[in-house]
Amino acid sequence: ARLASFVGAIAIADLVKSTLGPKGMDKILQSVSEKDGALNITNDGATILKSIHIDNPAAKVLVDMSKTQDDEVGDGTTSVVVLAGELLRQAEKLVQQRIHPMTIVDGWRLATKAARDALIASAKDNAGDMEKFRDDLLNIAKTTLSSKLLNKDKDKFSNLAVDAVLRLKGSTDLNLIQVLKMPGGSLEQSFLDEGFLLKKKIGVGQPREIHDAKIMVANTPMDTDKIKIYGSRVKVDSMDKVAEIEEEEKKKMKAKVEKIKKHGINVFINRQLIYNYPEQLFADAGIMAIEHADFDGVERLASVTGAELVSTFDHPELCTLGSAKCIKEVMIGEEKLISFSGVKQGNACTIVLRGASTHVLDEAERSLHDALAVLSQTVKETRVTLGGGCAEMLMAKAVDDIVPKTTGKKSLAVEAFSRALRALPTTIADNGGYDSAELVAQLRTEHHNGNSTAGLNMNNGTIGDMNELGIKEAFKLKEHVLLAAAEAAEMILRVDDIIKCAPRRREEGM
């Protein structure tokens, strides 16, 4: 059973292994259930693992771990699985040498501590100097994007991502950054729009542009100017009576519109339909009315403009209105959008992605989301480490240094841990088609000679200085990869049997 759990976990790690690093390959995920077999092209570890069907319980542990990494840090989803898989591969060899799993776990714990201390010691913090910190953020974004689809335009997109995150001023709420996907054009035409874009049209005959807008965001039915009393039957003996009922309905609607106008607004955004009659009333009053703004849009709009969702209109004094400097209709590609600029939450913005096909756009959005998530975490935890396999080699060296000081069989486990750490740069080099054994050996020599900034230069397959090349990663990301992988591997290693449980019985008499 232990072998089964090892095999499952290692198989998962090997599955995503080929997507690691700047020269990693992509996978096509094709769904089996749907008729058209909807497909995704991606090299984002979490997306791949989320989509595959798994029976092996140990493999599920790894999948959950990569999901957590995605939610927590946003990037490093592949590294964390590959590292855990390598640890288990080393453990398998040790178990075959008759070393008890608990001994291995003890050794790993020593190694994890040593590796983490080395990582903390190597991390730099430039939070005090805004220009340097911005450079750090740019480099982190470039490193994150270089293994994704946006690689060729990474300068542009890392600038977009850094600008968007710095506008958040330290908040990690990515809802304020809206990503709109517009098919057409090419990726280079993507841009950052200050403020907020809503994919809706403005009502007929209403102002197309409003300055110093006072916005009411509502969720209320505005479609009752026809008779609509559910499940009731009204008997009338002449058409005049029907007309009277309709007239009453119209009066009710008019009264509602009057109440709304009393709030002194000039923009009314509703989640539900607005029929022609109220629309005409709004147009006469010079109020811009936008209907059917989907829920996601309404919630986001409310938070961005500082408005609260309203559904009754009797107390204007209790209602919080939103504000914006200018609201107007803009054209992007073929689509008409409504742009809100100068909004209350000045840190909100919209990134508009253009691309050749929906697959490209989906993958671009995933890549960008990774970059945004990592950056927003880095703004909070400002320490930065080096990428390109440099941090892993540093940790491996620190772990090697404690091997001679470790007594008994534990030292074998400690050694195995450093081999597993070295597997990450090895995989990165392999995926680029370079001679990994040669490169990693050179890298190891460099680090032992005290050159602690050496890493893999993947552009020409040599050893380079990571500081000069600007290959940096967030400290939080590296730390999370190390700890999560060690914990997951330890958990799987402790398993000695897999027991199938009986399905839960229904209570009698249910």
Side-chain angles (χ1 to χ4, degrees):
R2 180 174 289 140
L3 242 159
S5 56
F6 281 169
V7 167
I10 292 172
I12 289 288
D14 287 348
L15 174 76
V16 291
K17 205 174 183 177
S18 62
T19 67
L20 188 70
K23 306 235 169 153
M25 293 303 190
D26 291 6
K27 309 267 185 221
I28 290 187
L29 308 174
Q30 189 173 15
S31 92
V32 188
S33 53
E34 292 166 40
K35 292 187 185 70
D36 52 354
L39 58 99
N40 268 331
I41 302 179
T42 180
N43 71 358
D44 176 41
T47 313
I48 297 171
L49 293 179
K50 253 193 312 222
S51 322
I52 52 183
H53 172 70
I54 299 174
D55 279 340
N56 189 303
K60 283 190 180 136
V61 174
L62 292 194
V63 173
D64 287 346
M65 179 181 68
S66 86
K67 272 190 202 147
T68 318
Q69 176 84 16
D70 197 29
D71 300 341
E72 191 70 23
V73 195
D75 192 25
T77 46
T78 314
S79 324
V80 75
V81 176
V82 172
L83 181 57
E86 283 303 327
L87 281 169
L88 289 171
R89 187 168 287 153
Q90 298 296 336
E92 190 179 21
K93 290 177 191 160
L94 293 176
V95 172
Q96 281 165 3
Q97 293 171 16
R98 294 298 171 111
I99 295 176
H100 194 274
M102 289 330 265
T103 317
I104 302 177
V105 166
D106 286 343
W108 278 1
R109 285 191 180 156
L110 291 172
T112 311
K113 187 175 178 308
R116 189 178 174 193
D117 292 344
L119 187 65
I120 292 173
S122 75
K124 292 198 174 56
D125 192 345
N126 284 335
D129 182 346
M130 218 33 229
E131 279 196 356
K132 274 190 181 169
F133 186 53
R134 194 191 148 84
D135 282 349
D136 278 351
L137 286 180
L138 265 176
N139 284 329
I140 288 175
K142 282 182 194 166
T143 309
T144 302
L145 293 174
S146 64
S147 62
K148 309 264 189 283
L149 173 87
L150 301 176
N151 189 359
K152 69 174 196 302
D153 305 322
K154 68 180 170 197
D155 293 347
K156 180 181 173 102
F157 282 101
S158 42
N159 267 314
L160 277 187
V162 172
D163 288 341
V165 168
L166 285 178
R167 293 180 70 116
L168 295 181
K169 302 189 179 65
S171 129
T172 52
D173 180 14
L174 291 182
N175 276 339
L176 293 175
I177 302 178
Q178 179 196 22
V179 180
L180 271 186
K181 296 181 288 193
M182 295 269 172
S186 71
L187 282 171
E188 292 151 26
Q189 292 169 353
S190 310
F191 61 91
L192 180 80
D193 193 289
E194 302 185 1
F196 190 83
L197 292 172
L198 194 66
K199 255 190 176 170
K200 292 291 163 230
K201 300 200 171 43
I202 298 173
V204 182
Q206 293 167 354
R208 291 277 166 238
E209 188 167 328
I210 284 188
H211 293 277
D212 293 327
K214 290 196 173 56
I215 308 168
M216 175 188 276
V217 184
N219 183 6
T220 181
M222 301 290 283
D223 50 359
T224 43
D225 56 346
K226 312 245 191 320
I227 297 182
K228 205 163 85 174
I229 309 166
Y230 292 112
S232 57
R233 296 162 76 175
V234 187
K235 277 194 177 172
V236 285
D237 43 18
S238 71
M239 277 313 282
D240 299 351
K241 294 273 174 65
V242 178
E244 274 173 34
I245 297 178
E246 276 191 359
E247 199 49 49
E248 275 303 306
E249 287 275 343
K250 257 189 165 162
K251 278 185 192 157
K252 264 164 76 182
M253 196 71 233
K254 184 153 191 187
K256 189 171 191 178
V257 172
E258 287 304 323
K259 274 187 197 165
I260 291 174
K261 285 194 329 212
K262 274 197 189 127
H263 289 69
I265 57 167
N266 49 14
V267 180
F268 177 73
I269 300 171
N270 192 16
R271 203 192 142 207
Q272 304 180 26
L273 280 169
I274 303 180
Y275 265 16
N276 309 13
Y277 180 60
E279 188 174 67
Q280 174 196 335
L281 290 176
F282 282 131
D284 295 344
I287 293 177
M288 177 194 288
I290 303 168
E291 62 173 7
H292 241 261
D294 52 353
F295 199 64
D296 191 34
V298 167
E299 288 273 301
R300 212 179 248 161
L301 248 184
S303 73
V304 168
T305 55
E308 281 179 10
L309 273 173
V310 195
S311 44
T312 56
F313 308 102
D314 297 328
H315 302 288
E317 69 282 356
L318 297 179
C319 163
T320 316
L321 297 177
S323 59
K325 284 232 175 67
C326 171
I327 297 184
K328 59 173 189 228
E329 217 173 29
V330 290
M331 287 280 291
I332 296 180
E334 321 259 301
E335 300 245 9
K336 277 189 182 170
L337 299 150
I338 305 168
S339 136
F340 295 73
S341 49
V343 286
K344 193 133 177 204
Q345 291 266 349
N347 37 20
C349 54
T350 301
I351 294 178
V352 180
L353 291 177
R354 309 293 312 276
S357 71
T358 46
H359 297 146
V360 173
L361 284 174
D362 288 345
E363 177 61 1
E365 185 191 24
R366 276 192 292 270
S367 316
L368 201 61
H369 172 265
D370 279 4
L372 290 173
V374 174
L375 290 176
S376 69
Q377 292 292 346
T378 314
V379 173
K380 267 174 78 175
E381 159 62 271
T382 50
R383 285 177 287 178
V384 176
T385 60
L386 298 175
C390 172
E392 285 82 4
M393 293 308 280
L394 259 175
M395 295 194 276
K397 174 177 183 278
V399 174
D400 276 342
D401 290 344
I402 64 164
V403 172
K405 303 173 197 161
T406 315
T407 52
K409 289 183 176 173
K410 280 188 220 165
S411 59
L412 293 170
V414 177
E415 224 172 326
F417 196 93
S418 83
R419 278 200 297 275
L421 280 170
R422 267 189 229 107
L424 282 171
T426 310
T427 309
I428 294 176
D430 278 340
N431 288 347
Y434 300 123
D435 180 355
S436 61
E438 174 69 22
L439 280 177
V440 174
Q442 281 179 18
L443 195 51
R444 195 174 170 181
T445 323
E446 288 283 321
H447 275 265
H448 271 283
N449 293 341
N451 177 5
S452 61
T453 56
L456 297 173
N457 175 354
M458 288 301 288
N459 293 332
N460 44 19
T462 54
I463 305 294
D465 184 337
M466 294 294 111
N467 267 335
E468 286 169 19
L469 293 169
I471 299 179
K472 300 194 172 168
E473 300 213 32
F475 166 76
K476 183 168 181 185
L477 182 148
K478 284 284 179 216
E479 183 188 44
H480 202 276
V481 166
L482 173 73
L483 300 180
E487 279 168 17
E490 184 180 313
M491 198 165 136
I492 295 172
L493 177 61
R494 288 170 152 225
V495 173
D496 71 340
D497 212 344
I498 300 173
I499 300 168
K500 287 268 192 288
C501 306
R504 206 173 49 151
R505 290 225 177 123
R506 291 257 173 108
E507 305 287 318
E508 288 299 317
M510 269 178 74

